[in-house]
Amino acid sequence: DKALIYPRFILNKLICRYNGAEVFVADWGSGTSANPYLAFRLRVDHSGPVEIEWIDDDGVSTHAAAELTVLDDTG
């Protein structure tokens, strides 16, 4: 039987931006679990874009973005 060999794929850095400004950065290494779970708090007072960027060990940058909407509940 031949053993399956999976290519190495490690995320080195995760960056969260809100309205273009860095609000959270995590530097990871080879000791991070295969399927890490990450949570952090972000307090905002107005709507704006949130972007997550992660960079792998090959230097490839991947992005995901969404619009965060703050509702006025003072009504």
Side-chain angles (χ1 to χ4, degrees), residues 4-66:
L4 286 174
I5 298 175
Y6 294 98
R8 179 179 139 136
F9 181 75
I10 296 174
L11 298 180
N12 289 325
K13 182 172 259 189
L14 181 131
I15 304 164
C16 177
R17 294 180 186 90
Y18 172 68
N19 275 335
E22 284 186 7
V23 294
F24 180 83
V25 177
D27 290 310
W28 291 343
S30 61
T32 305
S33 72
N35 296 302
Y37 174 81
L38 174 70
F40 59 93
R41 293 176 187 240
L42 177 61
R43 185 176 186 144
V44 300
D45 57 2
H46 57 278
S47 300
V50 175
E51 176 190 9
I52 303 291
E53 175 185 9
W54 53 99
I55 303 168
D56 66 27
D57 54 351
D58 290 328
V60 175
S61 174
T62 306
H63 299 262

Side-chain angles (χ1 to χ4, degrees), residues 57-75:
D57 54 351
D58 290 328
V60 175
S61 174
T62 306
H63 299 262
E67 185 71 18
L68 185 122
T69 302
V70 175
L71 302 175
D72 180 13
D73 63 353
T74 60

